[in-house]
Amino acid sequence: MAAQGKHVPFTFKAMASSAGGFLIVWAAMKLLDTWFDLTLLAETKGWLLRFRDWLLLETPMPNWSALMLVAILISTLSVALYYARFTDGANGELHEIERKVYKMNNPQFPQLTDNQTLLMEALAYHANFRKVANLDSVCKLVSLSTLEVETGLNQLQVKRLVRRKVTRGTFGSTVFELTLEGKDYALERLELT
């Protein structure tokens, strides 16, 4: 499907124009031969007549058919090499595109809403810079209300992408971090480094 815009180089228009070119050259040679005395034209005509005689020689396999077989083999090989080199890069690109489409249509991770994706990016940012991700820092980073962030983090916790750690004591706090599956999701889907 990726190569639909490409045109085959052997078209009827190209063949007709080359045949027309040969016809014009032949007519020009005939006119020059008729009106002018050209020695080069006579030599070329003599060489072409000898070549024609050689092609028409009576042998077990006529020379013209042997010449045609060689021409067919060379042209077939040329076309095969051309298309092998022409489609080599396209197949690689096509395979890569098909792989991306397959991954999008058959995810190994759950589909997330926009807010959940935003929260995953925020948690990945915190993890990438080794910062503590508490409720306030995530709210400031994503510009969502506290209720929306809590709801989104709870949904991500149900999907096993986020883990909540609660510390007790004088300075007790709630910290959110990505699980191993959440880190895989962030690396795969968010394309973080």
Side-chain angles (χ1 to χ4, degrees):
M1 292 290 164
Q4 280 183 344
K6 305 285 185 199
H7 294 288
V8 179
F10 306 110
T11 61
F12 177 74
K13 184 190 274 186
M15 288 187 283
S17 64
S18 62
F22 283 123
L23 187 62
I24 290 171
V25 168
W26 176 79
M29 287 176 62
K30 283 295 186 184
L31 289 174
L32 287 175
D33 188 30
T34 305
W35 290 341
F36 298 106
D37 184 24
L38 299 174
T39 57
L40 179 62
L41 188 60
E43 289 175 9
T44 306
K45 187 176 180 181
W47 183 82
L48 288 174
L49 289 174
R50 285 192 302 275
F51 183 68
R52 186 192 68 179
D53 291 339
W54 177 79
L55 286 177
L56 296 176
L57 278 177
E58 297 271 342
T59 56
M61 180 176 190
N63 291 339
W64 65 268
S65 62
L67 192 62
M68 290 305 294
L69 283 175
V70 169
I72 288 171
L73 289 175
I74 290 173
S75 62
T76 303
L77 181 64
S78 299
V79 169
L81 289 174
Y82 173 78
Y83 281 111
R85 293 182 68 209
F86 178 71
T87 58
D88 189 29
N91 286 341
E93 291 173 14
L94 182 62
H95 177 69
E96 185 66 26
I97 291 169
E98 286 175 343
R99 187 183 67 76
K100 285 181 181 177
V101 168
Y102 177 80
K103 279 191 167 189
M104 292 303 283
N105 290 337
N106 302 302
Q108 66 186 44
F109 300 109
Q111 294 293 329
L112 301 180
T113 63
D114 290 339
N115 284 349
Q116 291 172 348
T117 303
L118 193 61
L119 291 172
M120 285 294 292
E121 288 175 354
L123 291 174
Y125 171 81
H126 279 85
N128 196 27
F129 290 105
R130 301 186 191 282
K131 293 184 175 183
V132 176
N134 58 22
L135 193 59
D136 292 332
S137 67
V138 174
C139 286
K140 287 178 187 175
L141 194 61
V142 296
S143 300
L144 294 174
S145 69
T146 307
L147 180 62
E148 289 174 320
V149 171
E150 282 182 2
T151 305
L153 289 173
N154 286 337
Q155 292 168 349
L156 290 173
Q157 189 175 358
V158 169
K159 293 180 180 184
R160 298 182 185 184
L161 296 175
V162 174
R163 179 179 329 139
R164 178 189 310 241
K165 285 188 174 180
V166 179
T167 58
R168 306 272 184 230
T170 308
F171 299 107
S173 65
T174 303
V175 176
F176 298 95
E177 62 182 22
L178 296 173
T179 63
L180 287 176
E181 189 175 346
K183 289 177 184 176
D184 287 343
Y185 181 90
L187 287 173
E188 177 77 23
R189 289 300 178 100
L190 305 177
E191 299 177 7
L192 298 173
T193 55

